[in-house]
Each structure stands twice: as structure tokens, then as C-alpha cells.
Amino acid sequence: MEDIEDVIASGAPPGLRLPITAVRIKPRRKSNARLVPDPIHPSPQIPGIQSIYMKTFGCSHNQSDSEYMAGQLHAFGYGLTNNPEEADLWLINTCTVKSPSQSAMETLISKCKDAKKPLVVAGCVPQGSRDLKELEGISVVGVQQIDRVVEVVEETLKGHEVRLLSRKTLPMLDLPKVRKNKFVEILPINVGCLGACTYCKTKHARGHLGSYAVESLVERLKTVLSEGVKEIWLSSEDTGAYGRDIGVNLPILLNALIAELPADRSTMLRIGMTNPPFILEHLEEIAKALRHPCVYSFLHVPVQSGSDAVLDVMNREYTVSDFRTVVDTLTKLVPEMQIATDVICGFPGETDEDFAQTIALIKDYQFPQVHISQFYPRPGTPAARMKKVPSAKVKHRSRELTSIFESFNPYKGMEGRIERIWITEIAADGIHLVGHTKGYVQVLIVAPQSFIGTSTEVKITSVGRWSVFGEVIKVPKEVEGKVCQLNSTAAHSPASITCSTKSGSHKTAFVLCDCSSDLECCSKTIETSKDKADNKHKEAAGPCTGINGRERTLISYISSVLQKRRVNGPDRDNRDAIWKFKNTKEVPNRSIRVDLNTLDKVLLGGVIVSLVVIFVVLTLLCKTFSS
């Protein structure tokens, strides 16, 4: 089937619902001539009442595209669900960078067909591989056609196969958007790139460089700031190439965006991935932007190989010396500078000597983040026709480099430092909150969910390989009056909180929920004595009720069970009730408090009754045998 070209005159609002006649459609063929009800596509369809399941693969740019598509579908009344079984249609946004991502897409397409669900496939795979067998009979929408996803969904629900792949203009930035994280805006500044890497399939999909105007990006920044966004990621296939097609450059854009950021540093800017060739001439200006208080001192600069011979075959258009110049200059000019990089193991023609040079480069810099991948030949690329390195050797090199990288301790020496962090999300464990330092070091803290979207000061208590742990020492001004004031304590002990109440002030180990409007503490908090030898527990004064040592043993055990159930169960989002302090080292007699809901109280009551019954039965048995 031929691609469906745009038929709206220039100037029409992107995302506008088009009449059916504006889209050429291909009805699905029926296996017989009789008119029978179609269980998959009941007719007639009422547009805008169905639910959509969306799955996104790939980079942050893909994530932004998905958020734009979700926004348009939501604006037209469609529901968005995380449950594929209850959805009326599946929408898969694909990535073509690696074989595993495409294989995962193919598996999901197969599951969708088995579930007899209508399907729309978007993203780089259909755009870069239009004749892919797996896409036969499936509606597709290209990377520059995301503003017309509503049309594609509507026609697909009616049983039609729709293809929208070709366009010469970029989607508008002011389309409706549903962010995955309401505090993080992924802002695409350009699409495509100027490179011609021999292994890359993305350019087949995203095309040549196309940059958004500085004015458009500034307006978008102002809009998202008014919506409460606290972190802005500049995203593209190559941030450093921005503007070369429209007569500007990345430093010009950065200066314009930085000028609009709040002076109180409540919102931070993160510069996206950039290849070395296009920032070499702007290094000092880039460094100046990275030093700004509202810009993370972090940059993702892929090297891919430590061998000039391999870089030449890759057609990367820079040398290892160029890469070192980028890293050395930024590290010298930007305090706390953190640089992440990428490496491909086993590229065609890579010798043992080439790989040894890569190892030497990684050892020299000990980058905190290195994305290590094995070479995957992408159909249609020059590298796919090159002689491959044996698979066993590729896997061995990947494991060896990974082992070397994991031996580094990039955050050593951070213990005890006071850092300002910006908190934007909940950690995968469902317990900690995730914040980042100015250098974009990930910091895990224990705090109420109300801290998300704020910045605060923390003391680094311990460091791990991938992140560090911090202790909040200052309540963010945005939540002052909602929580008690946090005060740091000795190393490896829970944070203490000073609670100002009607009966005076006192300290407790920590609270598990926000305090009330009059700053009274939540009930049943525990304070552990510093004297661990006598293991005495003080009772908190005022409205904070103490718990004695015997009760603590039972409740500590039960609370751990309840917390695990809550984190892994349906109440996972109710994290304000789980202020669980977690360190890399065990702390004897750690204070624990549980904020029980109704079900928890029933379970706890059942446990207590069971224990009482067992005790009574054992007592009666003992009396019987003794008599």
C-alpha cells in the first residue's frame, strides 16, 4: 500500500481531527463474502470512548513522541490504560536502534494479534523499515505524523488499515501532552542528524537534521514552566548538531532557554546526548552553560570505540583524540562535571588490539556511566554487510568491559558532603525518592511523596556503585508546614525530626507521614536511645505516643510484612505511609513505625488473636499433662 500523504493545506492546526475523506484507507479483507459481525471491530464505532494501551521502546525522544500521542488521544476523549487486556486498541511506539528492541516489538505485535486487539505501530521501525513483514495488515504512523494519531486510531478501530509515513514539516510543539512524569518535560529540539554512521538505522527513520526555531522552543519552555515542570530534558538524535540547518547553534539556544529559567533554581535543564564532532568548536560556550546554576553539570557523549581504526570504519567523523579533548575541556572548566558515554563491543573488523585501546580509554576516565552494548547488524546499513566478529568473542568482550566498568567506584569520597538535590520521582523499590545533584548524581532518600517536585539539601550518608544515599537535612520550602522539621543525626542512625507541638518540642527518630496543619506529629513514632548497650527506648512526649521494647519486637516483624505487601501490592502508590529508612549497613534496634490502614489493622488483629489463642491452648495442654 502506498503511503498516505498529508492533504490539509498549510497552516491548518496540527492534531486537528480530519474528516474521513481526508485519509485514504484500506478496508481489511474478509475471508468470506457473507456479512458477519466482526468481534474485533464492532460497527458502528463511537469515536473517543475506547481505551488505549501504549507501549514505548527506545530513547527519550520516543518517550516524548508517546507523550504527545497520549495527549492528543486523551484530548479527544480516549482513555489511557496500563492494562493491555482491558484496552480496546494497542499502540506500540517502536525503536530501531538495536535488534533486541525490535524483537521485543515483534513479540508484542504477536501477542496483540493473539489477543485479537486492533493495533497501531508508530515510531522508527515502520518509518525506517516500511516493508517489514511483521507490519503487514497493521496500521502505522510515522515519527513526523504523531499529530495525526487520532485519525489513525479512529480508522483502525473501524477495521481499516491506515499508513501515515511521509511529511516535510515537523509536528508542532504545543500539541496536547500527557507526561509520564508530570515534573519532567522532554523537549525535542531537533530531529534527525548530520552523521552517516555505518551501523545506524535511526537516520533511516528520523532523516536529515531538522531543527525547531529558537523562538518556538523558548515559548514551549515558558508553557511547561507555567505547568509546574521542574526538570527539562533537551532531546534529539544529536543535540550538538542543533541549528546548523537554520543558521543558529546550540549555545545560542542554551542562552535563550537559560534566560527564562527561574532564578530560585526550582527548575533544572539537562542537555541531551551530543556527538563529539559538533561541539568541538563550541566547547567553552557549552562549558559556560553547564556551569550555570540551573543547568545540570552532565553530558552524554558517546565514544563507541577507543580505536581510531574502528571509528573510521564506523564513519563517526572524529578521533579518540577529539573525544579526549571534549572530556578534558569540560572536566577542567565545569566543577563536578559528570560525563556518560557509550561503547559498542565487537564492531566488524575490531581486533584484540582495538578492543584493548577501548579498555584503556575507559580505565583512564572511569566514567560513572557507560552504556555497553554488543554490535547488532541492522538491515539496510553498510555495517550489516561487513564481516562479523565471532559472536562468542563479542560476548566475551562485552562481559570483560562490563566487569572492568563495574569495578569503578565513581562516587567514593562523597560521604558526609552536603548537596542540593532536585527530586523528581519514586525509586523502583517503591520506598525511596530519587533526586539528582548538580552533577546529576542519583541520590536516594527517604521522604514523603510530597517532596517530589521540590529541591532540598541532603547529607550523603553512604555511596553505592550506581547511586548514593542521602539524609534530608532541610525541608523544602514548598512543603513547609506539612511535615516536621528534619535534623541530621550521627552516622548510620535514622534522621531525627523536631516536632513543634502545643505541649512543646521534642525529637523522634522519624515520622512516616506528613504532620497535620498544627504541626502535631503522627502517632506512634519511636525514638531510639543513643546508648545501644542498655537498649532503652524513650517515650516521645506530647501527642507522639511511645512504644515499649516488647511491643517493638512484634510490631517490627509485622510492619516489615505489611510494608512488603504494600510496596508490591495494589497500594504501592500510597507511599506517604511508608517512610522506611534504608541504609547499606544494618543498624541494630532500628526504629520502625507503621501507619496502618483498615486492612492492615484487620490483619494485625488477626495475628494478635491467633497468638493469644495459641498461648491459651498451650497453657491448657501444659495443665492437662501436669495433672
Side-chain angles (χ1 to χ4, degrees), residues 405-436:
F405 165 64
E406 290 180 348
S407 69
F408 304 152
N409 189 359
Y411 307 127
K412 183 179 180 181
M414 288 190 68
E415 299 96 328
R417 283 170 50 177
I418 305 298
E419 295 277 356
R420 181 172 182 175
I421 65 169
W422 288 262
I423 307 165
T424 56
E425 60 182 327
I426 300 168
D429 63 8
I431 298 170
H432 293 86
L433 301 186
V434 179
H436 292 93

Side-chain angles (χ1 to χ4, degrees), residues 143-171:
V143 294
Q144 293 186 26
Q145 296 279 18
I146 60 173
D147 55 357
R148 295 180 64 182
V149 67
V150 173
E151 304 165 56
V152 179
V153 166
E154 288 186 356
E155 296 304 325
T156 302
L157 285 167
K158 294 175 184 177
H160 302 140
E161 176 190 339
V162 183
R163 291 172 61 94
L164 286 174
L165 291 171
S166 300
R167 187 172 184 162
K168 297 179 181 179
T169 59
L170 301 178

Side-chain angles (χ1 to χ4, degrees), residues 197 276 333 348 443 493 599-600 615:
C197 300
L333 297 179
V443 182
S493 63
L599 181 58
D600 291 337
F615 176 76

Side-chain angles (χ1 to χ4, degrees), residues 285-325:
E285 294 167 280
I286 298 293
K288 181 181 178 181
L290 291 167
R291 288 196 301 268
H292 192 277
C294 296
V295 180
Y296 285 120
S297 303
F298 170 85
L299 198 60
H300 177 194
V301 187
V303 63
Q304 305 299 9
S305 175
S307 164
D308 283 341
V310 174
L311 292 177
D312 185 56
V313 178
M314 290 180 173
N315 197 28
R316 288 291 288 169
E317 300 180 344
Y318 60 87
T319 64
V320 175
S321 177
D322 293 332
F323 175 79
R324 287 181 178 271
T325 297

Side-chain angles (χ1 to χ4, degrees), residues 46-337:
I46 301 176
I49 65 171
Q50 294 81 11
S51 60
I52 312 294
Y53 166 71
M54 296 185 66
K55 176 66 176 179
T56 304
F57 295 95
C59 63
S60 60
H61 198 159
N62 255 22
Q63 182 62 52
S64 178
D65 286 351
S66 289
E67 292 176 353
Y68 273 124
M69 287 189 286
Q72 293 169 86
L73 291 168
H74 178 71
F76 280 107
Y78 289 97
L80 304 174
T81 177
N82 292 323
N83 186 347
E85 295 181 359
E86 71 179 22
D88 297 299
L89 176 142
W90 290 15
L91 197 164
I92 306 173
N93 194 4
T94 61
C95 173
T96 190
V97 172
K98 297 179 182 177
S99 294
S101 296
Q102 188 160 326
S103 297
M105 173 211 72
E106 293 168 0
T107 300
L108 199 58
I109 289 176
S110 178
K111 288 182 179 179
C112 186
K113 290 180 177 178
D114 292 341
K116 301 186 184 302
K117 300 280 188 178
L119 174 64
V120 174
V121 176
C124 293
V125 171
Q127 190 76 62
S129 305
R130 304 186 181 196
D131 299 325
L132 197 65
K133 183 178 180 181
E134 286 75 11
L135 298 178
E136 292 181 0
I138 294 174
S139 293
V140 297
V141 57
V143 294
Q144 293 186 26
Q145 296 279 18
I146 60 173
D147 55 357
R148 295 180 64 182
V149 67
V150 173
E151 304 165 56
V152 179
V153 166
E154 288 186 356
E155 296 304 325
T156 302
L157 285 167
K158 294 175 184 177
H160 302 140
E161 176 190 339
V162 183
R163 291 172 61 94
L164 286 174
L165 291 171
S166 300
R167 187 172 184 162
K168 297 179 181 179
T169 59
L170 301 178
M172 299 295 289
L173 293 172
D174 58 356
L175 296 170
K177 196 171 192 180
V178 175
R179 300 185 188 90
K180 183 178 180 180
N181 183 331
K182 68 177 183 178
F183 295 109
V184 177
E185 166 73 6
I186 303 173
L187 180 59
I189 61 174
N190 57 264
V191 300
C193 68
L194 294 174
C197 300
T198 55
Y199 58 86
C200 183
K201 185 79 172 180
T202 304
K203 188 167 184 176
H204 291 209
R206 295 285 181 178
H208 197 68
L209 180 68
S211 302
Y212 286 96
V214 173
E215 296 77 14
S216 298
L217 293 167
V218 169
E219 286 304 311
R220 180 61 184 172
L221 177 74
K222 291 178 180 179
T223 298
V224 301
L225 288 176
S226 68
E227 295 171 350
V229 163
K230 299 300 180 182
E231 196 165 284
I232 299 168
W233 300 357
L234 302 186
S235 178
S236 76
E237 283 62 59
D238 186 356
T239 304
Y242 169 79
R244 289 172 178 258
D245 57 321
I246 58 174
V248 293
N249 56 42
L250 183 60
I252 291 175
L253 173 64
L254 292 178
N255 291 335
L257 295 177
I258 289 171
E260 301 298 332
L261 295 175
D264 62 359
R265 303 180 69 194
S266 58
T267 302
M268 295 292 287
L269 186 71
R270 194 186 82 173
I271 303 174
M273 186 274 290
T274 180
N275 289 309
F278 304 111
I279 61 169
L280 279 168
E281 62 188 82
H282 302 300
L283 279 179
E284 291 191 5
E285 294 167 280
I286 298 293
K288 181 181 178 181
L290 291 167
R291 288 196 301 268
H292 192 277
C294 296
V295 180
Y296 285 120
S297 303
F298 170 85
L299 198 60
H300 177 194
V301 187
V303 63
Q304 305 299 9
S305 175
S307 164
D308 283 341
V310 174
L311 292 177
D312 185 56
V313 178
M314 290 180 173
N315 197 28
R316 288 291 288 169
E317 300 180 344
Y318 60 87
T319 64
V320 175
S321 177
D322 293 332
F323 175 79
R324 287 181 178 271
T325 297
V326 172
V327 176
D328 293 342
T329 303
L330 294 180
T331 303
K332 177 182 177 181
L333 297 179
V334 183
E336 303 180 54
M337 185 68 199

Side-chain angles (χ1 to χ4, degrees), residues 43 58 95 159 165 169 289 298 300 348 369 402 425 448 487 494 524 609 614:
S43 181
C95 173
L165 291 171
T169 59
F298 170 85
H300 177 194
Q369 298 179 39
T402 299
E425 60 182 327
N487 298 310
K524 293 187 179 178
V609 170
I614 292 171

Side-chain angles (χ1 to χ4, degrees), residues 1-5 24 163:
M1 182 179 179
E2 296 297 325
D3 295 345
I4 301 172
E5 304 294 334
R24 284 172 45 201
R163 291 172 61 94

